[in-house]
Amino acid sequence: MAQILTNVIEGYHDLMDNKSDPRVNDWFLMSSPFPTMCICLTYAYTVKVIGPRLMENRKPFDLKYTLILYNLFQVIFSTYLFYESAAAGWASHYSLKCQPVDYSLNPLALRMARGCWWYYFSKFTEFLDTIFFVLRKKNDHISTLHVIHHGIMPMSVWFGVKFTPGGHSTFFGFLNTFVHIIMYSYYLIAALGPQYQKYLWWKKYLTTIQMVQFVLVMVHAFQLLFIDCNYPKAFVWWIGLHAVMFYFLFSKFYKQTYVKKDKRVKVEDQKDDEKTKKSNFMLCFTTQTALYEKTDDVKEMSKGYTSDGNRLRNRVFIDNPRA
């Protein structure tokens, strides 16, 4: 047992010290995965347990201006990251088919590596999305999808920065930062107030864009299983399976939020139409108002109906003929 533990520890140090990218080993939070793991676990426990308990007997915070500034910051930060990934590779010499990692000290290679590192930190700033939900007591917004999505991403990106800060896998960050520009622009408009709600009709399509993003990442990653490319297959599976997982989580959210909602609306509309038809059938008196009001044309009746042979007739048409 002791030998097995020794082998595990030695294998871990060999992986971290000898098989990772030496350029990033001394960068902040890059020496070990455990600080990142602790931060992610603390985040999940805080937003699901501690936060709601602390806010249970408190009034929700009014964070209007905080949300405006936060979403504006995220739009600017995402734009910067998108620009860096484009300028360092995806808008110039990077190939969509096969792009090995450049581990050299080439300025563009280092620029891409630094961009990956800053992208890693952007996953921590996104924790504030959930913390703001807690402070505003929007606990119904803190779904499993939301917590998994935000809680896993820093850990996932850490491995990318540690071992492959550049090359094929950065396509995910390139697409993701573009989507986040759109997403946080939506949240920014929403934070401005109810008078801007009319400009937010495209929320449904925002989720669609996110799902398309994951499909593109899947195709882009898994193509290397059929192509000879000098890129670690482990990261092909790592990125590809993350995209698959997030696609199905977002797909489930889309169906619950939009598809089922549309069906409920249609059923309710059909019920309303049926009620209207029934109501119109039951109230088809040609002179309904006259039945309840005294006018020159309609006099008070001692009885409502009278017999006319084998049928009943309303006396308003018998005793009160029009002049």
Side-chain angles (χ1 to χ4, degrees):
M1 183 65 183
Q3 184 61 41
I4 294 174
L5 185 59
T6 301
N7 291 338
V8 169
I9 294 174
E10 290 178 353
Y12 167 78
H13 285 294
D14 178 60
L15 180 67
M16 292 296 145
D17 299 334
N18 302 321
K19 293 183 171 60
S20 62
D21 187 344
R23 299 175 302 173
V24 307
N25 283 342
D26 295 330
W27 293 1
F28 182 56
L29 292 179
M30 285 294 108
S31 60
S32 168
F34 295 113
T36 302
M37 185 183 298
C38 289
I39 294 171
C40 291
L41 292 174
T42 302
Y43 155 79
Y45 186 70
T46 299
V47 299
K48 292 297 288 184
V49 180
I50 297 177
R53 285 181 183 175
L54 291 175
M55 290 300 299
E56 186 175 6
N57 298 317
R58 290 179 170 86
K59 292 183 179 180
F61 286 87
D62 181 9
L63 302 176
K64 177 180 178 180
Y65 296 107
T66 302
L67 290 172
I68 291 173
L69 291 175
Y70 167 71
N71 288 304
L72 178 60
F73 166 78
Q74 289 289 50
V75 170
I76 295 171
F77 194 19
S78 297
T79 302
Y80 164 75
L81 294 173
F82 177 74
Y83 173 78
E84 285 297 295
S85 62
W90 288 108
S92 55
H93 63 283
Y94 266 33
S95 169
L96 286 171
K97 186 176 180 181
C98 169
Q99 185 60 50
V101 182
D102 184 353
Y103 292 104
S104 72
L105 297 179
N106 179 284
L108 281 180
L110 285 173
R111 185 176 184 179
M112 181 63 82
R114 282 193 296 268
C116 293
W117 187 55
W118 282 112
Y119 177 71
Y120 159 73
F121 284 110
S122 76
K123 301 298 111 180
F124 290 122
T125 64
E126 290 168 15
F127 283 176
L128 289 172
D129 289 2
T130 326
I131 292 171
F132 291 146
F133 284 148
V134 173
L135 294 176
R136 296 165 66 207
K137 300 186 79 169
K138 302 281 187 180
N139 294 335
D140 56 322
H141 288 41
I142 309 174
S143 62
T144 301
L145 165 64
H146 188 91
V147 176
I148 290 176
H149 179 63
H150 286 286
I152 284 180
M153 285 305 296
M155 198 72 253
S156 299
V157 178
W158 185 90
F159 283 103
V161 179
K162 182 69 172 178
F163 296 96
T164 57
H168 204 77
S169 62
T170 58
F171 181 73
F172 178 83
F174 175 66
L175 276 184
N176 191 236
T177 50
F178 177 74
V179 171
H180 279 195
I181 294 171
I182 301 172
M183 183 181 77
Y184 282 107
S185 295
Y186 174 92
Y187 292 151
L188 175 61
I189 297 171
L192 293 174
Q195 64 271 32
Y196 292 92
Q197 292 296 314
K198 59 184 177 181
Y199 301 113
L200 300 176
W201 51 267
W202 46 281
K203 181 180 180 181
K204 178 178 179 180
Y205 302 102
L206 176 59
T207 307
T208 304
I209 291 172
Q210 291 172 315
M211 292 165 63
V212 170
Q213 166 197 205
F214 296 126
V215 171
L216 292 175
V217 171
M218 274 187 269
V219 173
H220 182 259
F222 287 142
Q223 69 174 323
L224 294 194
L225 298 177
F226 312 98
I227 296 173
D228 185 18
C229 183
N230 184 23
Y231 186 83
K233 288 292 190 292
F235 279 91
V236 171
W237 286 104
W238 183 259
I239 296 294
L241 291 178
H242 269 73
V244 171
M245 178 183 69
F246 286 133
Y247 173 81
F248 283 107
L249 285 172
F250 274 79
S251 177
K252 181 179 179 181
F253 169 80
Y254 184 90
K255 290 175 183 177
Q256 290 177 340
T257 306
Y258 303 112
V259 177
K260 290 184 179 180
K261 181 180 177 181
D262 290 343
K263 288 181 179 179
R264 286 197 302 268
V265 170
K266 288 180 180 179
V267 169
E268 289 173 1
D269 288 344
Q270 288 176 353
K271 288 181 179 179
D272 289 341
D273 289 341
E274 290 175 1
K275 287 180 181 179
T276 302
K277 290 177 181 178
K278 289 180 180 178
S279 299
N280 290 341
F281 176 77
M282 294 171 67
L283 299 175
C284 60
F285 294 101
T286 55
T287 55
Q288 183 182 358
T289 302
L291 291 175
Y292 301 97
E293 296 178 355
K294 294 180 182 180
T295 67
D296 294 335
D297 293 331
V298 181
K299 299 178 182 179
E300 275 191 270
M301 299 176 292
S302 58
K303 295 180 181 179
Y305 292 89
T306 185
S307 175
D308 179 20
N310 294 324
R311 56 181 179 163
L312 288 175
R313 295 185 63 192
N314 193 317
R315 289 192 58 171
V316 74
F317 298 111
I318 300 172
D319 299 341
N320 302 284
R322 293 181 181 272

